[in-house]
Amino acid sequence: MGRIEAILLAAGYSSRMGRLKPLLPIGGTTVIRRQADVLDGLTDRTIVVTGYRGDEVEAHLSGSRVTTVRNQAFAEGMFTSVKAGILALDQEVSAFLILPVDYPLVTRSLIEDLIEEFHRSGTPVLYPSFSMRKGHPPVISAACIPEILSYQGDAGLKGALTPFNSEAKYFSAEDETCIIDMDTPEDYKKVLALEAGLHQRLFTAAR
């Protein structure tokens, strides 16, 4: 099946939120811990890219099974964190997925389905989608790495992956969690309400 690793992007200023997004409480844990727990055991390794207040985020993750990488250039934008995470990947990796801290509700079942579909499809890039909207996290073949690292445009990861658009595929997610992002305090309130509903649905289904 090949080695798959995950890159969690948690280096930004959280300026619109006004609070450090990775450490925001959610469902009895924090955003970054929730994401790390979702990925635990599904990928061969999880790399958390830190930057702004990196010491706090790294200390918070102490004892978890993640690898942390400090992006000293985080102030230059998210794409620098993407590159920092890619440079930290194992040399034997066959694919990787990228999940920004802005998407705290992505589920374990979605990650499982994405990895399975990626292996089955043979695509260089697999995006989750919901209601015709592209979501996170994309699963990306290691064959795309040289193109990403050499990209010099201003469109970030989206621009770097443009050469693969004709071969990219989409996976229809069962719910909207792959498109729910969190930039402002209002977004955070909505995320907490959605998380409570998601937890209730999972609890009811398990009974």
Side-chain angles (χ1 to χ4, degrees), residues 92-103:
E92 301 302 317
V93 76
S94 63
F96 59 98
L97 58 88
I98 296 180
L99 181 60
V101 74
D102 310 64
Y103 291 79

Side-chain angles (χ1 to χ4, degrees), residues 164-202:
F164 307 101
N165 283 353
S166 63
E167 299 175 82
K169 295 184 179 179
Y170 294 83
F171 176 82
S172 295
E174 294 182 355
D175 58 47
E176 71 276 25
T177 55
C178 69
I179 60 171
I180 302 297
D181 65 347
M182 184 180 72
D183 289 317
T184 67
E186 291 72 25
D187 293 339
Y188 177 48
K189 290 178 183 177
K190 293 177 183 177
V191 160
L192 291 180
L194 287 167
E195 193 279 334
L198 179 66
H199 178 78
Q200 182 61 40
R201 290 202 303 271
L202 292 174

Side-chain angles (χ1 to χ4, degrees), residues 124-125 144 147-148 151 157-168:
V125 187
C144 301
E147 193 79 36
I148 298 171
Y151 179 71
L157 182 62
K158 181 179 180 180
L161 292 177
T162 297
F164 307 101
N165 283 353
S166 63
E167 299 175 82

Side-chain angles (χ1 to χ4, degrees), residues 38-188:
V38 163
L39 291 163
D40 189 33
L42 299 183
T43 56
D44 291 285
R45 186 171 60 134
T46 297
I47 299 165
V48 179
V49 182
T50 66
Y52 177 63
R53 292 168 63 179
D55 288 343
E56 292 175 57
V57 177
E58 290 163 16
H60 176 70
L61 290 168
S62 176
S64 67
R65 294 193 291 182
V66 302
T67 299
T68 58
V69 175
R70 185 76 63 93
N71 174 21
Q72 302 295 347
F74 73 90
E76 297 173 23
M78 185 183 291
F79 192 49
T80 64
S81 292
V82 170
K83 288 184 174 181
I86 288 174
L87 289 171
L89 292 169
D90 188 279
Q91 290 187 347
E92 301 302 317
V93 76
S94 63
F96 59 98
L97 58 88
I98 296 180
L99 181 60
V101 74
D102 310 64
Y103 291 79
L105 295 181
V106 167
T107 63
R108 191 171 179 87
S109 61
L110 174 62
I111 301 296
E112 290 175 326
D113 290 343
L114 282 170
I115 292 173
E116 182 179 343
E117 179 62 22
F118 177 82
H119 286 304
R120 183 167 51 236
S121 69
T123 181
V125 187
L126 179 67
Y127 298 100
S129 66
F130 184 80
S131 294
M132 304 297 289
R133 289 177 57 189
K134 185 190 296 184
H136 283 275
V139 185
I140 304 168
S141 169
C144 301
I145 289 176
E147 193 79 36
I148 298 171
L149 293 180
S150 63
Y151 179 71
Q152 298 296 322
D154 57 6
L157 182 62
K158 181 179 180 180
L161 292 177
T162 297
F164 307 101
N165 283 353
S166 63
E167 299 175 82
K169 295 184 179 179
Y170 294 83
F171 176 82
S172 295
E174 294 182 355
D175 58 47
E176 71 276 25
T177 55
C178 69
I179 60 171
I180 302 297
D181 65 347
M182 184 180 72
D183 289 317
T184 67
E186 291 72 25
D187 293 339
Y188 177 48

